[in-house]
Amino acid sequence: MLKARASLLNRVLARSYATAASPHALVFLEHRQGDLDSASLSALTAASQLGGQVTGLVVGSPEEVPSVVEKAKKLNGLTTLLHSASPQYSTLLPETVSPLLEKLLSQNSPFTHVVSAHSSSAKSILPRVAAKLDVPAVSDITSLEHDAASGSTTFTRPIYAGNAISTVRASSSIPIKFFTVRSTAFAAAGAGDAVESEVKALDSVEVSDAPTEHISTSLTKSDRPDLGVASRVVSGGRALKNAETFQSTLYPLADALGAAVGASRAAVDAGYADNSLQVGQTGKVVAPELYMALGISGAIQHLAGMKDSKLIVAVNKDPDAPIFQVADVGLVADLFEVVPEMVEKLKQ
Ligand code: FAD
């Protein structure tokens, strides 16, 4: 086993040293209901910043893959698009997807970097493959710089709930550099009409003895924009009192603004809002054009998820609430008085 791993690593090493100066990134492109995830498009932008070739990888069920490939092959920045279809890829279980990546990275492949969004699936898959190849993985990066001369790549990533920025250099001695990308830090790559990337199908790597099995997925239906990509977010905190007032106070404002709804962890823990709406260190990281924090104190763990928003508006009864330290517009007021007034004004 150890011998097999050493020989795999040696093959990877030998190939990679030869191409140290010319980066070639493999970007894992995730998709949902036939559409590419916007976070993966941000990962593609990050991969393009390495300054070399970029190959995309789409995996999924045989029903999904063809239409996703049609969209992905037009993406700006992609030179080649690989795809692999199998029923076992209908959900991205790390146990079934990782062997495909491992095979791809160990067969004299040209890849120097493996890139993905910092998504829940990729967070499980990439470190697993990196560990198998005995290389480190850098997670949740917000910027990168590749030095073509030395073959090293330097990343920044927020740590301690965004209160410090860590700079990490992956030297040329790391044959394949794995990293996940914080989507709010990179614009999403778009599609162009000009050149389509070269498309190649890959055989799936069937795993017969996977220890986990996907049973079902239940999607929350909402007419509101998705919190992760919305350009406007209206978030509520513990001050909203209960689930009924959370909805009756926040939702009309969100609807009037065409905004997604978010929540503090206190609001989620108290059952006012669904867990999927949590913004912060242990929730979603958002950076919309407008973020409204209503009755949210501004604990560092909440700020970690929203402080990069372009315009932050806070309403809080307490003039000393920490949220005002990051707010561009602050209103010391009772939200139950001012929010209905805002809705009225917006309707006019
Ligand atoms: P509170 O801190 O209770 O603040 C309520 C605010 O509402 C107060 O400032 C008050 O002045 C104001 N208020 C009350 N009534 C009104 C009114 N009528 N009108 C206007 N203002 C009013 N938190 C997150 O949000 N996201 C995370 O991801 C997260 N992760 C965490 C991870 C860890 C490991 C830990 C330890 C904590 C985490 N937390 C997170 C919790 C965080 O520390 C805070 O406890 C939480 O953010 C507080 O939520 P809140 O601001 O809604 O509640």
Side-chain angles (χ1 to χ4, degrees):
M1 175 70 181
L2 270 178
K3 218 170 151 187
R5 231 167 105 171
S7 103
L8 171 64
L9 184 61
N10 284 340
R11 268 185 285 147
V12 169
L13 276 167
R15 185 249 314 136
S16 178
Y17 281 134
T19 58
S22 53
H24 188 162
L26 178 69
V27 188
F28 189 62
L29 295 169
E30 292 177 57
H31 51 92
R32 206 170 309 170
Q33 293 170 326
D35 287 322
L36 287 152
D37 276 359
S38 131
S40 287
L41 301 180
S42 298
L44 172 54
T45 300
S48 302
Q49 289 182 9
L50 291 164
Q53 284 189 66
V54 182
T55 292
L57 173 64
V58 169
V59 300
S61 69
E63 296 76 38
E64 295 169 303
V65 164
S67 65
V68 178
V69 165
E70 279 308 303
K71 290 172 189 161
K73 72 183 185 187
K74 299 189 178 104
L75 287 172
N76 292 327
L78 273 190
T79 35
T80 309
L81 179 65
L82 306 176
H83 62 91
S84 185
S86 162
Q88 73 174 1
Y89 298 147
S90 58
T91 46
L92 296 179
L93 291 178
E95 292 85 354
T96 46
V97 176
S98 306
L100 174 72
L101 271 166
E102 243 181 272
K103 186 176 168 204
L104 191 56
L105 295 167
S106 57
Q107 288 177 334
N108 293 325
S109 67
F111 304 114
T112 56
H113 295 76
V114 180
V115 189
S116 78
H118 193 61
S119 66
S120 47
S121 301
K123 276 191 275 183
S124 302
I125 297 167
L126 259 66
R128 190 183 178 94
V129 180
K132 286 272 176 87
L133 298 181
D134 220 2
V135 292
V138 185
S139 63
D140 204 14
I141 66 121
T142 50
S143 74
L144 64 89
E145 199 172 334
H146 183 71
D147 180 359
S150 71
S152 68
T153 313
T154 305
F155 304 99
T156 59
R157 52 186 299 268
I159 54 171
Y160 302 125
N163 284 302
I165 302 294
S166 151
T167 302
V168 183
R169 177 165 300 125
S171 73
S172 57
S173 65
I174 298 171
I176 303 183
K177 300 165 182 64
F178 284 70
F179 62 96
T180 63
V181 171
R182 182 174 287 205
S183 57
T184 53
F186 296 87
D193 302 323
V195 189
E196 290 186 356
S197 54
E198 188 189 351
V199 178
K200 289 182 193 161
L202 298 175
D203 289 338
S204 61
V205 179
E206 296 299 320
V207 178
S208 57
D209 56 351
T212 52
E213 186 190 350
H214 174 255
I215 305 294
S216 69
T217 302
S218 90
L219 291 176
T220 313
K221 288 203 175 72
S222 170
D223 294 333
R224 292 196 179 78
D226 179 29
L227 177 59
V229 293
S231 62
R232 295 168 183 175
V233 174
V234 172
S235 276
R238 199 197 307 266
L240 270 302
K241 289 184 182 161
N242 56 49
E244 288 72 38
T245 44
F246 187 93
Q247 288 195 14
S248 61
T249 312
L250 247 64
Y251 285 23
L253 180 59
D255 290 342
L257 287 167
V261 171
S264 72
R265 176 156 152 186
V268 169
D269 287 351
Y272 308 173
D274 189 76
N275 181 265
S276 61
L277 302 187
Q278 185 176 316
V279 172
Q281 183 186 341
T282 43
K284 295 212 165 82
V285 176
V286 299
E289 295 296 320
L290 169 68
Y291 187 87
M292 296 188 78
L294 307 174
I296 292 178
S297 58
I300 52 164
Q301 296 89 353
H302 187 80
L303 301 186
M306 45 64 74
K307 69 178 163 46
D308 292 329
S309 304
K310 312 292 174 295
L311 181 74
I312 298 173
V313 176
V315 179
N316 200 299
K317 278 203 304 199
D318 176 4
D320 296 323
I323 192 74
F324 289 130
Q325 287 169 19
V326 296
D328 300 291
V329 179
L331 189 56
V332 179
D334 185 334
L335 72 92
F336 293 108
E337 289 172 13
V338 297
V339 171
E341 283 179 38
M342 288 181 198
V343 175
E344 277 311 306
K345 290 266 185 243
L346 284 164
K347 279 184 182 162
Q348 285 165 18

